[in-house]
Amino acid sequence: MNDLLPGEIEVWQFVESTARTLFGRFGYGEVRTPMVEDTALFVRSVGEETDIVGKEMYTFEDKGGRSLSLRPEGTAPAARAYIEHSVSNQEPVSRWFYMGPMFRYERMKTGRYRQFSQIGAEAYGAKEPAQDAELMDVVVQFLEALGLKDVTLNINSLGDDNCRPAYHAKLVEYLNAHREELCADCQQRLERNPLRVLDCKNEKCQAVAAAGPNVLEFLCEPCRAHFTDLQRKLGVLGIRYVVNHRLVRGLDYYTRTVFEFIASHPALGTASTVGGGGRYDKMMKGLGGPDVPAVGYAMGLDRLVLLLKEGGKTFTQRPDLFIAVADEGSQDEGLALASRLRREGLKVDFDTRGGSLKSQMKRADKSGARFTLVLGEQERTSGQAKLKPMAGGEPVPVALDNVAATVRAQPEAAAPVPAA
Ligand code: AMP
């Protein structure tokens, strides 16, 4: 679990505000659900046999003897809220997004944490492939807005209750015949959740999976039509994708479409999936809610942040102005001037400790401010001061009652590099 301090938080804020903008454009409203839910919610939706529920949940008993869990993912809590508030009675289609911390007791590795942050979106009420395509489009535009380029969309269809059983049976038969070639984990998965074998990162397991039955060949006609139309729509939107018949995702609730965004970047090591999702048309009913189709996805912020940091861009906003005071007697007026300029919208830094002008100028350098204004007795009596550009260049004369407008009117110079 990580602490995020100023200096690091800005990149997170950038990702979050970009997400808010993009989801807003697509008509997705934000939902915030509690961090804890009844354990049963995750058992019934994500599935007992998944790693998430079987091994990774932070589960505890509260003082009332109820079994609660810190949420390991956001789809089930959002579905619970959708059902609890009878949202389907109020509107036929709802589009929601969420962001916030999730908790999984994971093994330590790059890009994997026990408290991590996800941004996710869910669209309820539309079973059509256009909804799947629209959801992928938000993600594509979100990644574009972040400036992340080397990300590939992988798609697959897992079929539905009609056609999946035949595939499942064939897969189990095939995997049993190759049991000895699988890793120890996969031999167990084979008993409890055979689809997960296709997810295994072990090379031998991947080789077995690659030669196994192809789920797409088992799709019934409606599922095939859904998948074909989805691909056509992605084409209409100009979204590039790869069909990957081994993509299954680790959760139980998916039907038909599943997808993942995979980043090829050494910074992420093997943990290269930045996000994924799929359609879960049966889950609402399974949780005791209305028979409402849904499609959703979730993306890990921690990995997006890692990728952005690798890009070398800075996200900290430097102050417009540093106010330094030349003498003890100007301290109060300096404080008041800073306050007034902040009210007028400038980002202003001011050394509340006072001290020598020399030490304040050092601090001004370090702050990365665009300009420094020195306030002394002379400036106070004349009402005139100078804006010293910290990147070098001629000082700009300024009236003390016109500082904000003058700062705003100055052309942006290259950012001064703050001293380490
Ligand atoms: P999942 O809910 O397992 O499909 O995960 C969706 C995305 O959340 C993944 O692609 C990761 O980017 C992110 N994620 C999942 N688990 C973790 C974790 N333990 N630490 C950091 N990110 C995670």
Side-chain angles (χ1 to χ4, degrees):
M1 301 189 188
N2 294 313
D3 297 312
L4 294 174
L5 307 184
E8 172 151 32
I9 199 80
E10 291 79 5
V11 55
W12 288 80
Q13 291 169 335
F14 169 69
V15 175
E16 289 162 4
S17 66
T18 308
R20 286 208 168 85
T21 307
L22 257 303
F23 284 122
R25 281 185 200 161
F26 278 78
Y28 285 69
E30 182 170 353
V31 290
R32 296 187 192 179
T33 63
M35 304 285 160
V36 287
E37 295 276 355
D38 278 332
T39 302
L41 172 69
F42 301 108
V43 173
R44 288 172 64 194
S45 55
V46 179
E48 201 155 17
E49 301 303 342
T50 59
D51 285 355
I52 295 182
V53 171
K55 299 187 195 158
E56 297 170 356
M57 274 207 304
Y58 283 89
T59 298
F60 60 96
E61 214 172 73
D62 76 358
K63 294 220 189 313
R66 289 171 288 242
S67 177
L68 301 180
S69 293
L70 294 182
R71 61 181 188 192
E73 58 101 59
T75 297
R80 197 251 328 124
Y82 179 88
I83 295 168
E84 202 169 309
H85 297 274
S86 306
V87 180
S88 67
N89 295 338
Q90 297 152 42
E91 53 187 21
V93 173
S94 307
R95 295 182 174 90
W96 288 0
F97 80 93
Y98 60 82
M99 51 178 125
M102 307 292 160
F103 305 85
R104 295 182 197 172
Y105 195 78
E106 294 250 26
R107 264 176 281 164
M108 306 295 285
K109 61 180 179 186
T110 322
R112 289 230 157 253
Y113 310 101
R114 289 176 175 169
Q115 175 175 329
F116 59 100
S117 226
Q118 281 188 339
I119 294 185
E122 319 288 341
Y124 307 107
K127 62 180 186 325
E128 287 71 18
Q131 188 55 63
D132 308 23
E134 186 207 63
L135 188 67
M136 294 176 201
D137 195 23
V138 199
V139 188
V140 167
Q141 293 199 28
F142 172 55
L143 293 171
E144 267 170 27
L146 294 180
L148 294 175
K149 292 204 180 70
D150 296 325
V151 183
T152 312
L153 170 61
N154 278 230
I155 61 170
N156 192 22
S157 175
L158 299 178
D160 61 8
D161 286 350
N162 198 14
C163 52
R164 185 148 18 146
Y167 165 69
H168 204 268
K170 194 82 185 170
L171 180 69
V172 171
E173 186 191 312
Y174 169 82
L175 291 176
N176 267 319
H178 294 268
R179 196 185 180 87
E180 300 309 314
E181 296 155 56
L182 299 174
C183 72
D185 276 353
C186 279
Q187 296 196 3
Q188 282 197 352
R189 286 182 186 129
L190 184 47
E191 306 297 331
R192 310 162 86 197
N193 192 352
L195 277 180
R196 284 301 315 265
V197 174
L198 307 189
D199 264 348
C200 184
K201 297 277 180 284
N202 182 302
E203 274 179 25
K204 275 188 173 171
C205 300
Q206 285 191 352
V208 171
N214 179 342
V215 64
L216 296 173
E217 287 167 10
F218 288 79
L219 296 185
C220 59
E221 202 35 50
C223 287
R224 185 186 309 282
H226 186 100
F227 195 52
T228 308
D229 198 27
L230 167 63
Q231 292 178 66
R232 205 182 53 75
K233 290 195 157 62
L234 291 175
V236 168
L237 293 172
I239 296 176
R240 287 194 293 164
Y241 62 90
V242 174
V243 174
N244 173 0
H245 76 86
R246 295 205 302 278
L247 177 66
V248 290
R249 312 216 6 94
L251 319 181
D252 277 1
Y253 49 59
Y254 292 116
T255 45
R256 293 192 169 162
T257 313
V258 286
F259 60 99
E260 264 182 8
F261 285 86
I262 298 174
S264 51
H265 200 291
L268 293 178
T270 51
S272 61
T273 303
V274 289
R279 184 161 270 292
Y280 50 99
D281 293 344
K282 302 274 177 245
M283 188 168 107
M284 290 294 183
K285 204 161 173 221
L287 288 175
D291 193 5
V292 169
V295 57
Y297 97 104
M299 203 159 231
L301 258 77
D302 302 77
R303 291 186 197 168
L304 292 180
V305 163
L306 267 176
L307 287 173
L308 284 173
K309 281 203 213 147
E310 284 291 308
K313 218 165 118 187
T314 50
F315 296 90
T316 35
Q317 199 202 343
R318 58 196 178 121
D320 300 300
L321 184 69
F322 189 98
I323 296 175
V325 292
D327 48 63
E328 187 77 31
S330 302
Q331 181 73 6
D332 284 356
E333 292 220 19
L335 182 67
L337 179 62
S339 165
R340 177 160 63 78
L341 294 176
R342 288 163 181 155
R343 186 165 282 126
E344 292 172 18
L346 288 195
K347 182 171 158 79
V348 180
D349 202 348
F350 175 70
D351 196 335
T352 44
R353 297 168 308 177
S356 73
L357 186 56
K358 195 170 157 211
S359 69
Q360 292 176 68
M361 291 312 281
K362 265 197 194 156
R363 174 88 195 269
D365 257 339
K366 214 169 166 182
S367 76
R370 282 181 72 199
F371 299 98
T372 298
L373 183 153
V374 178
L375 190 70
E377 200 180 337
Q378 194 204 325
E379 284 80 10
R380 287 194 283 133
T381 31
S382 66
Q384 297 292 322
K386 291 203 174 90
L387 295 174
K388 177 178 183 281
M390 299 307 280
E394 286 301 304
V396 182
V398 64
L400 284 180
D401 57 8
N402 196 31
V403 176
T406 312
V407 167
R408 287 203 187 96
Q410 300 306 305
E412 278 277 348
V417 181

